[in-house]
Amino acid sequence: MASPPHTVTARGAHQFEIVGYSLIKGLAAGEFVRSGAFAVGGYRWSVRFYPGGFSPPHRAFVSAFLKITSKDARAWARFDLRLLDRATGLSRSVRRAAEPVVFDYSAPPGKCRGKRGARALMLRSELEASLTIECVVDVVSGGVPPVAPRRLRAPPSDLSKHLGELLDRQDQTDVAFDVRGEVFRAHKAVLATRSPVFMAELYGGMKEKGMECIAIDDIQPVVFSALVGFIYTDVLVLPGDLLEGDDDDYKEMVRHLLEAADRYGMERLMLMCESILCRSLDGSTVETTLALADQHYCTALKDVCLQFMSLGLQG
Protein backbone atom coordinates (compact mmCIF):
# COMPACT_ATOMS: atom_id res chain seq x y z
CA MET A 1 0.00 0.00 0.00
CA ALA A 2 1.49 3.38 -0.96
CA SER A 3 1.97 5.84 1.87
CA PRO A 4 0.20 9.18 1.61
CA PRO A 5 2.16 12.36 0.93
CA HIS A 6 3.62 13.89 4.08
CA THR A 7 5.23 17.23 4.77
CA VAL A 8 6.04 17.48 8.47
CA THR A 9 7.41 14.89 10.89
CA ALA A 10 7.44 15.25 14.67
CA ARG A 11 10.09 13.05 16.30
CA GLY A 12 10.27 11.87 19.87
CA ALA A 13 12.17 9.21 21.78
CA HIS A 14 11.52 7.39 25.03
CA GLN A 15 13.64 5.00 27.07
CA PHE A 16 11.87 2.30 29.04
CA GLU A 17 14.19 0.80 31.65
CA ILE A 18 13.07 -2.60 32.91
CA VAL A 19 14.66 -3.46 36.23
CA GLY A 20 14.06 -6.48 38.40
CA TYR A 21 13.31 -8.77 35.46
CA SER A 22 13.36 -11.74 37.83
CA LEU A 23 10.22 -10.33 39.49
CA ILE A 24 8.18 -10.22 36.30
CA LYS A 25 9.58 -13.05 34.18
CA GLY A 26 6.89 -15.35 35.54
CA LEU A 27 4.13 -13.42 33.76
CA ALA A 28 2.18 -15.53 31.29
CA ALA A 29 2.23 -15.05 27.53
CA GLY A 30 0.17 -11.99 26.65
CA GLU A 31 0.68 -10.27 30.02
CA PHE A 32 2.73 -7.08 30.02
CA VAL A 33 4.15 -4.16 31.92
CA ARG A 34 3.98 -0.69 30.42
CA SER A 35 6.19 2.34 30.39
CA GLY A 36 5.10 5.77 31.44
CA ALA A 37 3.18 7.77 28.84
CA PHE A 38 5.07 10.11 26.52
CA ALA A 39 3.89 12.55 23.87
CA VAL A 40 4.96 12.84 20.24
CA GLY A 41 3.23 14.78 17.49
CA GLY A 42 0.20 15.62 19.63
CA TYR A 43 -0.47 11.97 20.54
CA ARG A 44 0.24 10.00 23.70
CA TRP A 45 2.19 6.75 23.52
CA SER A 46 3.55 4.00 25.75
CA VAL A 47 5.80 0.97 25.35
CA ARG A 48 4.51 -2.44 26.40
CA PHE A 49 6.92 -5.17 27.45
CA TYR A 50 5.83 -8.85 27.47
CA PRO A 51 8.27 -10.89 29.59
CA GLY A 52 6.43 -14.13 28.78
CA GLY A 53 6.07 -13.39 25.08
CA PHE A 54 3.28 -11.69 23.16
CA SER A 55 1.37 -14.95 22.69
CA PRO A 56 1.91 -18.67 23.42
CA PRO A 57 3.85 -19.31 20.18
CA HIS A 58 6.38 -16.67 21.33
CA ARG A 59 7.07 -18.00 24.85
CA ALA A 60 10.79 -18.42 24.09
CA PHE A 61 11.10 -14.66 23.52
CA VAL A 62 10.32 -11.40 25.22
CA SER A 63 8.18 -9.02 23.16
CA ALA A 64 7.82 -5.25 22.99
CA PHE A 65 5.25 -3.01 21.33
CA LEU A 66 4.65 0.69 20.83
CA LYS A 67 1.01 1.57 21.55
CA ILE A 68 -0.97 4.74 20.91
CA THR A 69 -2.88 5.67 24.09
CA SER A 70 -4.70 8.83 23.01
CA LYS A 71 -8.34 7.79 23.12
CA ASP A 72 -10.05 7.38 19.72
CA ALA A 73 -6.91 8.66 17.96
CA ARG A 74 -5.61 7.46 14.62
CA ALA A 75 -2.03 8.38 13.76
CA TRP A 76 0.32 7.77 10.87
CA ALA A 77 3.85 7.15 12.11
CA ARG A 78 7.17 5.39 11.76
CA PHE A 79 8.78 3.74 14.75
CA ASP A 80 12.09 2.16 15.72
CA LEU A 81 12.39 -0.20 18.70
CA ARG A 82 15.97 -0.43 19.95
CA LEU A 83 17.85 -2.24 22.68
CA LEU A 84 20.25 -0.07 24.65
CA ASP A 85 23.66 -1.45 25.65
CA ARG A 86 24.10 -0.39 29.26
CA ALA A 87 27.89 -0.66 29.08
CA THR A 88 28.42 1.54 26.02
CA GLY A 89 25.23 3.57 25.95
CA LEU A 90 24.78 2.62 22.28
CA SER A 91 21.57 1.15 20.88
CA ARG A 92 20.79 -1.32 18.11
CA SER A 93 17.57 -1.47 16.18
CA VAL A 94 15.44 -4.60 16.68
CA ARG A 95 12.18 -3.71 14.93
CA ARG A 96 11.81 -0.77 12.60
CA ALA A 97 9.01 0.44 10.34
CA ALA A 98 10.76 2.09 7.42
CA GLU A 99 7.49 3.48 6.03
CA PRO A 100 4.70 5.11 8.03
CA VAL A 101 2.05 2.74 9.40
CA VAL A 102 -1.35 3.31 10.97
CA PHE A 103 -1.81 3.33 14.72
CA ASP A 104 -5.54 3.12 15.43
CA TYR A 105 -6.65 3.29 19.06
CA SER A 106 -10.10 1.92 18.17
CA ALA A 107 -8.89 -1.06 16.12
CA PRO A 108 -10.13 -4.47 17.35
CA PRO A 109 -7.58 -6.20 19.63
CA GLY A 110 -6.99 -8.99 17.14
CA LYS A 111 -5.93 -6.51 14.46
CA CYS A 112 -3.09 -5.09 16.60
CA ARG A 113 -3.26 -1.79 14.72
CA GLY A 114 -3.35 0.14 17.95
CA LYS A 115 0.11 -1.22 18.68
CA ARG A 116 3.06 -2.23 16.56
CA GLY A 117 6.26 -3.93 17.56
CA ALA A 118 8.44 -7.01 17.89
CA ARG A 119 7.04 -10.37 18.94
CA ALA A 120 10.59 -11.77 19.10
CA LEU A 121 12.51 -8.88 20.65
CA MET A 122 15.14 -11.22 22.08
CA LEU A 123 15.40 -14.71 23.53
CA ARG A 124 14.39 -14.96 27.16
CA SER A 125 17.46 -17.09 27.82
CA GLU A 126 19.70 -14.18 26.73
CA LEU A 127 18.02 -11.61 28.94
CA GLU A 128 19.96 -10.50 32.00
CA ALA A 129 18.61 -8.90 35.14
CA SER A 130 17.53 -5.74 33.38
CA LEU A 131 17.33 -4.09 30.01
CA THR A 132 16.46 -0.74 28.47
CA ILE A 133 14.21 -0.41 25.44
CA GLU A 134 14.50 2.80 23.46
CA CYS A 135 11.64 3.74 21.16
CA VAL A 136 11.95 6.46 18.54
CA VAL A 137 8.66 7.67 17.02
CA ASP A 138 8.20 9.81 13.89
CA VAL A 139 4.62 11.08 13.62
CA VAL A 140 3.84 12.11 10.07
CA SER A 141 1.37 14.88 9.36
CA GLY A 142 0.13 16.25 6.09
CA GLY A 143 -1.39 12.97 4.99
CA VAL A 144 -4.47 11.10 6.16
CA PRO A 145 -3.94 7.48 7.26
CA PRO A 146 -5.63 5.32 4.67
CA VAL A 147 -8.67 3.23 5.38
CA ALA A 148 -8.00 -0.42 4.62
CA PRO A 149 -9.63 -1.26 1.30
CA ARG A 150 -12.67 -3.48 1.37
CA ARG A 151 -11.84 -6.89 0.07
CA LEU A 152 -13.70 -7.54 -3.16
CA ARG A 153 -14.36 -11.06 -4.33
CA ALA A 154 -13.76 -11.50 -8.02
CA PRO A 155 -16.70 -12.98 -9.91
CA PRO A 156 -16.27 -16.43 -11.45
CA SER A 157 -14.44 -16.55 -14.76
CA ASP A 158 -16.73 -16.02 -17.74
CA LEU A 159 -14.13 -16.86 -20.38
CA SER A 160 -15.84 -20.13 -21.33
CA LYS A 161 -19.16 -18.28 -21.65
CA HIS A 162 -17.72 -15.78 -24.11
CA LEU A 163 -15.90 -18.44 -26.11
CA GLY A 164 -19.08 -20.50 -26.26
CA GLU A 165 -20.95 -17.48 -27.59
CA LEU A 166 -18.18 -16.98 -30.15
CA LEU A 167 -18.70 -20.54 -31.38
CA ASP A 168 -22.48 -20.08 -31.50
CA ARG A 169 -22.20 -16.85 -33.53
CA GLN A 170 -19.57 -18.30 -35.88
CA ASP A 171 -17.90 -14.88 -36.01
CA GLN A 172 -14.81 -14.75 -38.24
CA THR A 173 -14.39 -18.50 -38.45
CA ASP A 174 -11.40 -19.50 -40.53
CA VAL A 175 -11.62 -23.27 -40.72
CA ALA A 176 -14.37 -25.77 -41.60
CA PHE A 177 -14.73 -29.52 -41.13
CA ASP A 178 -16.89 -31.82 -43.19
CA VAL A 179 -17.80 -34.58 -40.75
CA ARG A 180 -19.70 -37.24 -42.68
CA GLY A 181 -21.55 -34.62 -44.67
CA GLU A 182 -22.19 -32.20 -41.79
CA VAL A 183 -20.14 -28.99 -41.82
CA PHE A 184 -18.70 -27.47 -38.63
CA ARG A 185 -17.03 -24.06 -38.64
CA ALA A 186 -14.52 -22.96 -36.01
CA HIS A 187 -11.52 -20.77 -35.24
CA LYS A 188 -8.07 -22.17 -35.85
CA ALA A 189 -6.46 -20.35 -32.95
CA VAL A 190 -8.93 -21.71 -30.40
CA LEU A 191 -8.64 -25.29 -31.65
CA ALA A 192 -4.85 -25.14 -31.81
CA THR A 193 -4.55 -23.64 -28.34
CA ARG A 194 -6.52 -26.49 -26.79
CA SER A 195 -5.30 -29.44 -28.87
CA PRO A 196 -1.72 -30.29 -29.88
CA VAL A 197 -3.10 -32.37 -32.76
CA PHE A 198 -5.12 -29.44 -34.12
CA MET A 199 -2.01 -27.29 -33.69
CA ALA A 200 -0.05 -29.65 -35.91
CA GLU A 201 -2.86 -30.04 -38.44
CA LEU A 202 -3.67 -26.35 -38.76
CA TYR A 203 -0.30 -24.64 -38.26
CA GLY A 204 2.44 -27.27 -38.28
CA GLY A 205 3.96 -29.73 -40.70
CA MET A 206 0.65 -31.60 -41.01
CA LYS A 207 -1.06 -28.48 -42.33
CA GLU A 208 -3.12 -29.23 -45.43
CA LYS A 209 -2.60 -26.20 -47.65
CA GLY A 210 -5.31 -25.00 -49.94
CA MET A 211 -8.08 -26.98 -48.26
CA GLU A 212 -11.11 -24.85 -47.45
CA CYS A 213 -12.84 -27.73 -45.67
CA ILE A 214 -11.14 -30.59 -43.85
CA ALA A 215 -12.91 -33.93 -44.28
CA ILE A 216 -13.33 -36.22 -41.28
CA ASP A 217 -15.00 -39.54 -42.00
CA ASP A 218 -14.21 -41.62 -38.89
CA ILE A 219 -16.02 -39.56 -36.21
CA GLN A 220 -19.76 -39.19 -35.83
CA PRO A 221 -21.03 -35.60 -36.19
CA VAL A 222 -22.64 -35.66 -32.72
CA VAL A 223 -19.32 -36.72 -31.20
CA PHE A 224 -17.35 -34.06 -33.09
CA SER A 225 -19.86 -31.43 -31.99
CA ALA A 226 -19.38 -32.39 -28.33
CA LEU A 227 -15.60 -32.36 -28.79
CA VAL A 228 -15.55 -28.87 -30.31
CA GLY A 229 -18.00 -27.61 -27.70
CA PHE A 230 -15.66 -28.84 -24.95
CA ILE A 231 -12.70 -27.17 -26.64
CA TYR A 232 -14.47 -23.79 -26.48
CA THR A 233 -16.16 -24.05 -23.06
CA ASP A 234 -14.26 -26.71 -21.08
CA VAL A 235 -17.69 -28.19 -20.30
CA LEU A 236 -18.88 -31.60 -21.43
CA VAL A 237 -22.38 -31.26 -22.86
CA LEU A 238 -24.10 -34.29 -24.38
CA PRO A 239 -27.25 -34.15 -26.52
CA GLY A 240 -30.45 -34.03 -24.50
CA ASP A 241 -32.00 -37.02 -26.23
CA LEU A 242 -29.08 -39.17 -25.09
CA LEU A 243 -29.45 -38.05 -21.48
CA GLU A 244 -33.16 -38.79 -21.48
CA GLY A 245 -33.15 -41.87 -23.74
CA ASP A 246 -31.49 -45.28 -23.82
CA ASP A 247 -28.70 -45.66 -21.29
CA ASP A 248 -26.73 -47.86 -23.71
CA ASP A 249 -26.72 -45.10 -26.34
CA TYR A 250 -25.43 -42.66 -23.72
CA LYS A 251 -22.54 -44.97 -22.78
CA GLU A 252 -21.73 -45.60 -26.42
CA MET A 253 -21.56 -41.86 -27.04
CA VAL A 254 -19.12 -41.43 -24.11
CA ARG A 255 -16.94 -44.26 -25.45
CA HIS A 256 -16.77 -42.62 -28.88
CA LEU A 257 -16.01 -39.27 -27.25
CA LEU A 258 -13.16 -40.82 -25.27
CA GLU A 259 -11.69 -42.11 -28.55
CA ALA A 260 -12.00 -38.65 -30.12
CA ALA A 261 -10.41 -37.02 -27.06
CA ASP A 262 -7.46 -39.39 -27.30
CA ARG A 263 -7.11 -38.74 -31.02
CA TYR A 264 -6.88 -34.96 -30.48
CA GLY A 265 -4.78 -35.05 -27.30
CA MET A 266 -7.55 -33.76 -25.02
CA GLU A 267 -6.39 -35.31 -21.75
CA ARG A 268 -8.89 -33.58 -19.48
CA LEU A 269 -11.80 -34.69 -21.64
CA MET A 270 -10.43 -38.24 -21.66
CA LEU A 271 -10.34 -38.29 -17.87
CA MET A 272 -13.93 -37.01 -17.68
CA CYS A 273 -15.08 -39.76 -20.05
CA GLU A 274 -13.16 -42.34 -18.04
CA SER A 275 -14.89 -41.18 -14.88
CA ILE A 276 -18.34 -41.49 -16.48
CA LEU A 277 -17.60 -45.00 -17.76
CA CYS A 278 -16.19 -46.08 -14.39
CA ARG A 279 -19.45 -45.08 -12.69
CA SER A 280 -21.69 -46.71 -15.28
CA LEU A 281 -20.14 -50.17 -15.68
CA ASP A 282 -22.45 -53.16 -15.94
CA GLY A 283 -22.14 -56.76 -16.98
CA SER A 284 -23.17 -56.14 -20.57
CA THR A 285 -20.59 -53.42 -21.28
CA VAL A 286 -17.61 -54.24 -19.07
CA GLU A 287 -15.76 -56.31 -21.70
CA THR A 288 -16.24 -53.66 -24.39
CA THR A 289 -15.14 -50.95 -21.98
CA LEU A 290 -12.08 -52.97 -20.92
CA ALA A 291 -11.00 -53.33 -24.55
CA LEU A 292 -11.46 -49.59 -25.02
CA ALA A 293 -9.44 -48.80 -21.89
CA ASP A 294 -6.64 -51.11 -23.00
CA GLN A 295 -6.54 -49.61 -26.50
CA HIS A 296 -6.34 -46.01 -25.25
CA TYR A 297 -4.12 -46.62 -22.21
CA CYS A 298 -6.79 -45.61 -19.69
CA THR A 299 -5.18 -47.20 -16.63
CA ALA A 300 -7.80 -46.20 -14.07
CA LEU A 301 -10.69 -47.37 -16.25
CA LYS A 302 -8.92 -50.64 -16.97
CA ASP A 303 -8.37 -51.30 -13.25
CA VAL A 304 -12.04 -50.65 -12.48
CA CYS A 305 -13.11 -53.03 -15.26
CA LEU A 306 -10.83 -55.80 -14.02
CA GLN A 307 -12.02 -55.32 -10.46
CA PHE A 308 -15.66 -55.42 -11.64
CA MET A 309 -15.04 -58.63 -13.55
CA SER A 310 -13.23 -60.19 -10.62
CA LEU A 311 -16.11 -59.48 -8.27
CA GLY A 312 -18.53 -60.86 -10.83
CA LEU A 313 -16.58 -64.10 -11.09
CA GLN A 314 -16.41 -64.42 -7.32
CA GLY A 315 -20.16 -63.94 -7.08
Side-chain angles (χ1 to χ4, degrees):
M1 180 187 300
S3 60
H6 48 275
T7 56
V8 179
T9 298
R11 167 167 288 195
H14 182 76
Q15 291 186 355
F16 181 21
E17 184 175 6
I18 299 164
V19 295
Y21 171 67
S22 59
L23 300 177
I24 60 173
K25 67 180 181 180
L27 292 179
E31 296 182 325
F32 61 88
V33 294
R34 66 166 61 90
S35 72
F38 58 98
V40 181
Y43 302 96
R44 293 175 65 82
W45 310 83
S46 69
V47 176
R48 291 186 174 187
F49 175 69
Y50 297 75
F54 179 73
S55 62
H58 306 94
R59 289 193 188 97
F61 301 90
V62 295
S63 308
F65 282 77
L66 170 67
K67 179 173 175 59
I68 188 168
T69 60
S70 295
K71 189 174 181 181
D72 297 329
R74 197 163 184 262
W76 183 245
R78 290 186 292 263
F79 69 93
D80 188 1
L81 284 172
R82 305 172 178 175
L83 287 178
L84 193 66
D85 188 319
R86 298 171 64 84
T88 64
L90 301 177
S91 61
R92 61 180 177 88
S93 180
V94 179
R95 174 72 170 87
R96 178 172 177 265
E99 296 295 329
V101 292
V102 175
F103 286 82
D104 188 350
Y105 180 90
S106 302
K111 298 295 184 181
C112 293
R113 287 180 181 159
K115 56 181 179 293
R116 307 274 187 162
R119 288 173 168 81
L121 185 73
M122 65 182 298
L123 286 168
R124 296 177 66 184
S125 58
E126 296 178 355
L127 183 58
E128 299 176 353
S130 61
L131 80 159
T132 300
I133 301 171
E134 182 178 53
C135 183
V136 178
V137 184
D138 293 330
V139 176
V140 176
S141 60
V144 179
V147 176
R150 182 169 61 93
R151 290 187 177 182
L152 300 178
R153 179 171 296 181
S157 171
D158 57 0
L159 177 61
S160 62
K161 172 178 177 291
H162 290 301
L163 286 177
E165 292 173 351
L166 178 66
L167 179 62
D168 291 338
R169 292 196 309 265
Q170 301 283 287
D171 287 0
Q172 299 179 348
T173 56
D174 52 5
V175 65
F177 299 89
D178 183 344
V179 184
R180 296 187 180 182
E182 188 170 338
V183 176
F184 295 86
R185 299 189 179 278
H187 306 80
K188 290 181 182 179
V190 177
L191 299 180
T193 299
R194 296 277 281 158
S195 163
V197 176
F198 276 127
M199 174 66 80
E201 288 183 349
L202 300 174
Y203 292 104
M206 296 171 60
K207 180 179 178 181
E208 301 183 51
K209 297 181 179 179
M211 292 193 67
E212 295 183 357
C213 191
I214 300 173
I216 299 177
D217 297 323
D218 53 354
I219 298 180
Q220 297 175 10
V222 67
V223 174
F224 190 79
S225 177
L227 174 74
V228 173
F230 183 84
I231 286 176
Y232 276 77
T233 67
D234 209 37
V235 176
L236 175 54
V237 178
L238 299 178
D241 56 343
L242 285 177
L243 297 176
E244 298 173 2
D246 193 322
D247 188 52
D248 290 339
D249 291 340
Y250 169 75
K251 295 175 187 176
E252 185 68 11
M253 167 72 177
V254 175
R255 284 193 286 269
H256 285 308
L257 190 56
L258 185 147
E259 292 177 327
D262 188 22
R263 169 174 169 172
Y264 287 99
M266 303 291 296
E267 184 176 352
R268 173 171 157 79
L269 180 56
M270 278 190 68
L271 291 173
M272 293 174 69
C273 292
E274 276 192 78
S275 178
I276 293 172
L277 294 174
C278 283
R279 297 195 305 268
S280 59
L281 276 180
D282 57 43
S284 65
T285 60
V286 64
E287 292 185 1
T288 303
T289 303
L290 176 60
L292 178 74
D294 191 50
Q295 180 183 356
H296 295 279
Y297 305 99
C298 301
T299 305
L301 180 59
K302 182 177 179 179
D303 290 344
V304 171
C305 289
L306 292 173
Q307 183 179 11
F308 184 93
M309 296 173 70
S310 173
L311 293 174
L313 291 173
Q314 291 177 13

